[in-house]
């Protein structure tokens, strides 16, 4: 246990010369002393502080937390992989309860005509699991509030909201048990996505950026509303309808009244009902087409694209701001670690700011840091390659540039053969031209599959002659096996396994070989008129289809061989990895709207024959909900609600949903679906497009420049997004770092 006096001494103070400075209680210190019973404890505290600051820099975390010995122990346990995995699993578990609790999604289909009665959990089962999750969250907010301190807790709106959400959830949980799980609405289900958002700093930044973009989006939204209202009034005036005119269906169908006209043009704005909404008027007078063409040009092609441009213009700085903040946090954490370690070196020195960090102290800290061995080895090698005794601030900073690289292990050496023939064979089968031959064979296999699929499309499986296809499958699979063995011969087993594409090919080849052997063992070798019956679990046709699916997946290996395709594919994968926070926002929106949809529309869609509102398919109007058999799209359970929201977000035939729920639930239901369209299709999709454009353009434009900075990327490292944009980020100044450290709530540095 550290000396109790450490809480009242500065972290860095002069041990020789100058007057002593006094700091208030609660300020942590690892002020070094040469003798005394607390010297070892103080040195350990300094090392632990440096370890935590470096780990904060690695993970881009804030360093504004307690730094005394007990708090550091708790801090490291809290951010350990075990604790974070436990917290993540708890968040996943409480969100997944929506699929099990009433109304349960545990049925094979959501079709109201065929869906059996689902299994409903007994009262107290899901509530017990939820109670455990809430206890974990109570512990989480308690630890966070203690680590940041009460003063910082009061200033943090997310922690305050965390506490409020927990209190409301616990009260609502108590009400559920008191009513024996028969309460009509569970408020806490709407609050569960908050636990996901508060646990991700990137999701918080994304949400803040969306909030910044809302005023500009609202201005374009007002233009769209004015455009919609103007053309609605014009439509009501142009299509008044004539008495007893059966041909005049425009007024009766799309412009019956003001709400119907507004809905029809709103759907036309998404082009979902084009040209259906225009045909009745256009068939009467061709000049009426000008009205609908003008509406579509102004609304869909101009205003909607203008909205995309405005959102991109407002959102394009989001990534840079986020990375700039992350860079500041990293530099601040590394500088704090340097200050702490340099104070240990400054024993007996009159000017501690002028000394550096001992390499042995740095290595001792590095061994304690939670970092993979490859990065530790790279940093250690970089440390040993320098000259000098002490590390300056600049040298200390440069050591941690390795954080931005995902180190790839070097390829193992190839086997050495003495025979000239074997050496020639190794060169031949290890050349990239051999990969091209494999790609050509995979393409030929895929073409043959397509040919047989087309030729046998109208033939029943029992009438097919699979002799030729069976022979070709054997030939291609034998080639894949031979190719794998020859690559192992040329590259060695370790060299073969170090390449992910080879592992992918090898696994698929092994599965294909097992299926082929199983087929030959059951159905014998192919022969003319080969029409075996189904034996065992799978028929020959089922096995063949499975083999063909695997062959199609194996053809994806061609992506790695075409440079342009490889660049695009790697860029897309990087975008997916760095857009998890943005996808999390969409998951939160889906979750909330699905729960609201269940509250509002559960049970309103009924099977035909059970209600006068649900006519049989034969008597339903063409293009209606009933005639299209959209019975699976409902809000009777959580899974069905998610799929229904997805179908509406795509906006294909979403007017069918508007009409159906208007008839089954009431005209107010349109408000729900229009709000969902605005949030998902208008706001989120445009923000997603803006983020994709910014990421892709930066990665594409800077790829060649980055290679000049980092050398051979493919041979040395994979580069993270932070390093990719490092040349456009502004490095924090010394004054900025010093000011940030001086305002640390739990750390006092002598100046």
């Amino acid at each position: 246990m550290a000396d109790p006096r450490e809480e009242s001494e500065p972290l860095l103070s002069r041990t020789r010369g100058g007057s002593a400075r006094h700091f208030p209680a609660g300020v942590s210190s690892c002020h070094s002393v040469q003798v005394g019973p607390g010297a070892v404890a103080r040195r350990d505290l300094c090392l632990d502080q440096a370890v935590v600051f470096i780990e904060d820099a690695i993970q881009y975390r804030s360093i504004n937390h307690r730094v005394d010995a007990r708090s550091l122990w708790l801090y490291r346990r809290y951010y350990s992989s075990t604790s974070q995995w436990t917290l993540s699993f708890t968040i996943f578990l409480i969100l997944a309860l929506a699929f099990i609790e009433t109304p349960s999604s545990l049925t094979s289909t959501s079709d109201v005509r065929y869906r059996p009665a689902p299994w409903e959990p007994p009262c107290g089962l899901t509530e017990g699991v939820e109670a455990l999750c809430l206890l974990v969250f109570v512990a989480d907010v308690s630890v966070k509030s203690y680590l940041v301190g009460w003063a910082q807790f009061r200033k943090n709106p997310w922690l305050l909201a965390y506490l409020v959400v927990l209190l409301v959830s616990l009260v609502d949980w108590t009400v559920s048990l008191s009513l024996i799980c028969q309460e009509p609405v569970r408020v806490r289900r709407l609050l569960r996505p908050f636990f996901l958002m508060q646990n991700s700093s990137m999701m918080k930044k994304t949400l803040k950026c969306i909030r910044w973009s809302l005023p500009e989006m609202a201005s374009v939204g007002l233009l769209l509303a004015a455009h919609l209202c103007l053309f609605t009034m014009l439509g009501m005036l142009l299509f008044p309808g004539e008495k007893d005119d059966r041909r005049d269906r425009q007024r009766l169908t799309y412009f019956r009244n003001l709400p119907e006209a507004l809905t029809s043009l709103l759907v036309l704005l998404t082009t979902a009902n084009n040209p259906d909404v225009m045909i009745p008027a256009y068939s009467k007078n061709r000049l009426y087409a000008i009205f609908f063409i003008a509406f579509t040009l102004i609304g869909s092609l101009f205003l909607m694209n203008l909205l995309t441009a405005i959102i991109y213009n407002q959102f394009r700085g989001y990534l840079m701001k986020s990375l700039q903040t992350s860079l500041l946090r990293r530099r601040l954490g590394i500088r704090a670690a340097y200050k702490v370690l340099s104070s240990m070196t400054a024993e007996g020195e009159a000017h501690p700011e002028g000394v550096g960090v001992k390499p042995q102290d740095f290595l001792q800290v590095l061994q304690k840091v939670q970092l993979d061995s490859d990065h530790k080895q790279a940093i250690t090698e970089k440390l040993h390659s320098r000259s000098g005794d002490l590390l300056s601030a600049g040298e200390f900073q440069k050591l941690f540039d390795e954080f931005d690289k995902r180190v790839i292990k070097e390829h193992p050496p190839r086997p050495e053969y003495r025979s000239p023939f074997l050496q020639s064979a190794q060169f031949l089968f290890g050349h990239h031209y051999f990969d091209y031959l494999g790609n050509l064979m995979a393409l030929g296999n895929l073409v043959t599959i397509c040919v047989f699929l087309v030729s046998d499309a109208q033939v029943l499986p029992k009438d097919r002659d699979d002799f030729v296809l069976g022979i070709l499958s054997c030939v291609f699979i034998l080639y894949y096996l031979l190719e794998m063995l020859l690559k192992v011969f040329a590259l060695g087993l370790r060299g073969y396994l170090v390449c992910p594409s080879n592992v992918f090919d090898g696994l698929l080849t092994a599965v294909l070989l097992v299926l082929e052997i199983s087929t030959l063992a059951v159905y014998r070798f192919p022969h003319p008129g080969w029409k075996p019956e189904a034996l065992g679990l799978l028929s020959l046709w089922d096995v063949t289809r499975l083999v063909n699916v695997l062959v199609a997946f194996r053809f994806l290996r061609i992506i790695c061989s075409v440079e342009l395709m490889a660049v695009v594919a790697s860029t897309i994968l990087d975008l997916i990895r760095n857009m998890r926070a943005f996808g999390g926002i969409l998951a939160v929106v889906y979750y909330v709207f699905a729960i609201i949809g269940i509250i509002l529309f559960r049970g309103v869609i009924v099977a035909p024959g059970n209600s006068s509102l649900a006519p049989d398919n034969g008597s339903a109007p063409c293009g209606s909900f009933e005639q299209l058999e959209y019975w699976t799209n409902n809000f009777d359970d959580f899974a069905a609600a998610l799929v229904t929201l997805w179908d509406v977000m795509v906006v294909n035939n979403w007017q069918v949903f508007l009409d159906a729920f208007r008839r089954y639930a009431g005209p107010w239901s349109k408000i729900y679906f229009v709000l969902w369209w605005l949030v998902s299709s208008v706001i989120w999709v445009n923000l997603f497009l803006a983020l994709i454009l910014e990421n892709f353009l930066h990665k594409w434009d800077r790829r060649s420049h980055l290679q000049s900075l980092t050398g051979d990327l493919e041979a040395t490292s994979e580069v993270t997004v932070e390093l990719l944009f490092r040349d456009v980020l502004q490095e924090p100044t010394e004054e900025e770092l010093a000011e940030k450290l001086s305002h640390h709530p739990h750390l006092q540095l002598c100046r």
Side-chain angles (χ1 to χ4, degrees):
M1 182 68 67
D3 196 311
R5 293 175 297 174
E6 69 187 16
E7 293 292 318
S8 60
E9 297 181 4
L11 174 66
L12 301 177
S13 60
R14 305 189 181 199
T15 59
R16 183 177 179 181
S19 58
R21 298 180 60 181
H22 300 282
F23 298 94
V27 175
S28 296
S29 168
C30 63
H31 168 54
S32 53
V33 294
Q34 301 182 30
V35 294
V40 176
R42 294 176 187 274
R43 175 180 173 82
D44 292 341
L45 178 61
C46 286
L47 294 177
D48 291 340
Q49 287 177 344
V51 168
V52 169
F53 287 147
I54 292 175
E55 290 177 349
D56 288 340
I58 295 173
Q59 301 297 331
Y60 300 103
R61 295 195 296 255
S62 172
I63 65 171
N64 294 330
H65 53 77
R66 296 179 186 269
V67 289
D68 58 274
R70 182 178 301 176
S71 299
L72 291 177
W73 179 87
L74 179 61
Y75 187 84
R76 295 200 72 196
R77 296 302 180 275
Y78 175 78
Y79 281 107
S80 64
S81 58
T82 302
S83 299
Q84 292 304 304
W85 272 106
T86 301
L87 183 58
S88 300
F89 176 76
T90 304
I91 295 173
F92 167 79
L93 186 61
I94 198 171
L95 293 177
L97 286 178
F99 292 97
I100 302 174
E101 59 190 3
T102 305
S104 173
S105 302
L106 301 180
T107 56
S108 59
T109 178
S110 62
D111 194 316
V112 296
R113 298 170 298 176
Y114 315 120
R115 181 179 55 199
W119 173 81
E120 299 293 350
C123 181
L125 178 61
T126 58
E127 286 74 15
V129 176
E130 189 176 12
L132 294 177
C133 296
L134 292 177
L135 288 177
V136 173
F137 295 140
V138 169
D140 180 52
V141 71
S142 301
V143 172
K144 283 183 176 179
S145 60
Y146 169 76
L147 291 176
V148 300
W150 175 246
Q152 293 294 315
F153 178 82
R154 290 180 300 176
K155 299 177 182 178
N156 193 320
W158 281 99
L159 289 179
L160 293 175
Y162 197 179
L163 184 61
V164 172
V165 169
L166 278 176
L167 291 176
V168 174
S169 299
L170 289 172
V171 171
D172 190 61
W173 180 84
T174 305
V175 172
S176 295
L177 289 184
S178 63
L179 296 177
I180 319 177
C181 309
Q182 297 299 321
E183 74 281 10
V185 177
R186 298 183 180 183
V187 179
R188 64 185 184 277
R189 298 182 72 182
L190 293 171
L191 303 178
R192 288 173 183 171
F194 178 84
F195 301 126
L196 176 64
M197 288 193 298
Q198 64 82 28
N199 195 49
S200 172
S201 60
M202 288 301 297
M203 287 183 65
K204 296 175 185 177
K205 294 177 183 178
T206 304
L207 197 62
K208 182 184 294 185
C209 180
I210 294 175
R211 187 186 63 188
W212 289 344
S213 304
L214 283 179
E216 287 75 17
M217 287 188 286
S219 62
V220 182
L222 290 176
L223 284 177
L224 279 171
H227 167 71
L228 192 61
C229 292
L230 175 62
F231 273 82
T232 300
M233 295 176 60
L234 291 177
M236 295 289 291
L237 295 174
L238 287 175
F239 312 116
E242 299 177 8
K243 189 175 181 179
D244 298 330
D245 187 356
R246 296 181 179 179
R247 296 185 306 166
D248 189 2
R249 294 175 294 150
Q250 191 72 33
R251 176 74 180 227
L252 297 177
T253 305
Y254 299 107
F255 294 89
R256 181 182 303 116
N257 50 51
L258 186 62
E260 289 294 332
L262 193 63
T263 303
S264 299
L265 291 182
L266 177 63
V267 175
L268 181 60
L269 194 64
T270 65
T271 68
N273 60 352
N274 185 67
D276 298 351
V277 69
M278 182 183 71
I279 292 301
Y282 181 61
S283 62
K284 185 176 182 180
N285 192 325
R286 67 177 68 213
L287 293 179
Y288 281 142
I290 300 176
F291 170 84
F292 297 98
I293 294 175
F295 177 83
T296 305
L297 282 175
I298 298 174
S300 301
L301 301 182
F302 179 71
L303 290 179
M304 293 299 290
N305 288 319
L306 178 63
L307 178 64
T308 302
I310 291 177
I311 290 177
Y312 174 71
N313 183 62
Q314 296 296 324
F315 202 70
R316 63 181 180 179
Y318 155 69
L319 185 61
M320 293 300 103
K321 290 179 182 178
S322 175
L323 296 180
Q324 188 67 51
T325 303
S326 299
L327 179 63
L328 176 61
R329 285 188 171 185
R330 170 160 292 186
R331 295 292 184 258
L332 197 60
I334 293 175
R335 180 55 58 91
Y338 173 80
K339 291 290 187 181
V340 169
L341 293 178
S342 63
S343 68
M344 298 171 53
T345 310
E347 295 181 2
E349 297 290 338
H351 304 286
E353 296 292 337
V355 298
V357 176
K358 294 180 180 179
Q360 55 269 30
D361 291 339
F362 173 76
L363 290 176
Q364 188 175 356
V365 169
L366 186 63
Q367 295 304 316
K368 295 183 177 181
V369 173
Q370 294 181 1
L371 188 64
D372 59 273
S373 58
D374 293 331
H375 281 94
K376 285 185 178 181
Q377 182 179 358
I379 294 174
T380 303
E381 293 176 354
K382 196 171 183 179
L383 176 65
H384 292 325
S385 64
R386 60 172 296 276
S387 58
D389 296 332
L390 298 179
L391 290 169
S392 64
E395 293 174 331
F396 191 84
Q397 171 61 53
K398 290 180 180 179
L399 289 175
F400 293 98
D401 290 341
E402 300 297 325
F403 286 164
D404 293 320
K405 302 177 181 179
R406 293 190 290 268
V407 179
I408 299 178
K409 297 181 180 180
E410 296 182 358
H411 288 274
R414 294 188 177 187
E416 296 182 0
Y417 300 104
R418 296 182 179 180
S419 170
F421 174 77
L422 294 180
Q423 291 177 357
S424 301
Q426 182 184 30
F427 173 78
L428 178 64
F429 299 125
H431 201 274
H432 61 273
Y433 284 161
F434 188 62
D435 292 332
Y436 295 158
L437 177 61
N439 293 335
L440 185 62
M441 293 294 294
L443 178 61
N445 194 357
L446 201 61
V447 170
T448 57
I449 292 174
C450 294
V451 169
F452 279 96
L453 287 177
V454 173
S455 61
D456 294 342
Q458 305 299 326
V459 182
L460 295 176
K462 63 179 181 179
D463 298 329
R464 289 177 178 145
D465 188 352
D466 296 318
F467 169 66
V468 178
L469 183 60
I471 293 295
L472 290 177
S473 296
C474 291
V475 171
F476 281 113
I477 291 174
L478 287 177
Y479 173 80
Y480 296 150
L481 177 62
L482 180 63
E483 180 189 26
M484 181 180 67
L485 296 177
L486 291 177
K487 282 189 175 181
V488 172
F489 161 77
L491 304 176
L493 182 59
R494 292 181 57 194
Y496 180 84
L497 296 177
V498 78
C499 182
S501 61
N502 288 338
V503 176
F504 177 74
D505 288 346
L507 288 176
L508 289 184
T509 300
V511 175
L512 289 172
L513 185 62
V514 170
L515 289 176
E516 188 65 23
I517 293 176
S518 302
T519 302
L520 295 178
V522 175
Y523 300 107
R524 306 305 177 188
F525 196 77
H527 53 81
W530 195 38
K531 301 177 182 179
E533 300 294 334
L535 299 175
L537 296 177
L538 295 176
S539 66
L540 175 65
W541 179 241
D542 294 329
V543 175
T544 304
R545 286 192 301 169
L546 182 58
V547 169
N548 293 340
V549 169
L550 295 177
V551 169
F553 273 107
R554 194 179 185 278
F555 184 70
L556 295 177
R557 57 177 281 174
I558 196 174
I559 294 177
C560 300
S561 302
V562 181
E563 182 179 359
L564 186 60
M565 292 178 61
V567 172
V568 174
S570 63
T571 302
I572 293 175
L573 291 176
D574 286 341
L575 289 175
I576 293 175
R577 281 195 295 264
N578 293 285
M579 287 184 184
R580 288 177 296 181
F582 207 75
I585 296 293
L586 180 63
V588 168
V589 174
Y590 258 94
Y591 198 99
V592 172
F593 268 84
I595 297 298
I596 295 176
I598 292 174
I599 296 173
L600 297 178
F601 307 118
R602 180 189 174 190
V604 301
I605 301 295
V606 294
N610 296 336
S611 171
S612 59
L613 294 177
D616 294 333
N617 294 345
S619 61
C622 181
S624 64
F625 186 90
E626 295 81 8
Q627 189 271 331
L628 294 173
E629 297 188 347
Y630 281 3
W631 302 108
T632 55
N633 291 286
N634 53 68
F635 291 89
D636 290 350
D637 58 71
F638 187 73
L642 293 177
V643 176
T644 302
L645 290 176
W646 171 263
D647 291 338
V648 175
M649 189 183 76
V650 177
V651 300
N652 184 33
N653 272 357
W654 74 298
Q655 73 276 7
V656 176
F657 296 91
L658 291 175
D659 175 69
F661 282 90
R662 176 191 62 80
R663 291 185 284 109
Y664 285 102
W668 55 267
S669 61
K670 292 182 179 180
I671 300 176
Y672 172 84
F673 288 101
V674 171
L675 284 176
W676 171 246
W677 170 72
L678 287 173
V679 172
S680 61
S681 297
V682 177
I683 297 178
W684 190 88
V685 170
N686 281 290
L687 287 174
F688 187 67
L689 178 60
L691 190 59
I692 286 181
L693 287 174
E694 183 176 10
N695 277 266
F696 190 82
L697 291 177
H698 275 84
K699 288 178 68 68
W700 189 270
D701 293 341
R702 301 182 185 280
R703 180 174 175 269
S704 58
H705 177 60
L706 185 62
Q707 289 186 357
S708 63
L709 295 176
T710 59
D712 187 5
L713 295 177
E714 296 182 357
T716 57
S717 65
E718 297 176 1
V719 181
T720 60
V721 176
E722 285 77 15
L723 182 58
L724 183 67
F725 300 119
R726 182 58 50 82
D727 59 322
V728 297
L729 297 178
Q730 184 178 1
E731 285 286 341
T733 62
E734 293 292 329
E735 293 77 11
E736 186 178 3
L737 294 176
E739 181 183 2
K740 292 288 185 181
L741 288 176
S742 65
H743 289 86
H744 193 288
H746 305 286
L747 188 67
Q748 195 72 33
L749 300 176
C750 288
R751 289 184 266 179

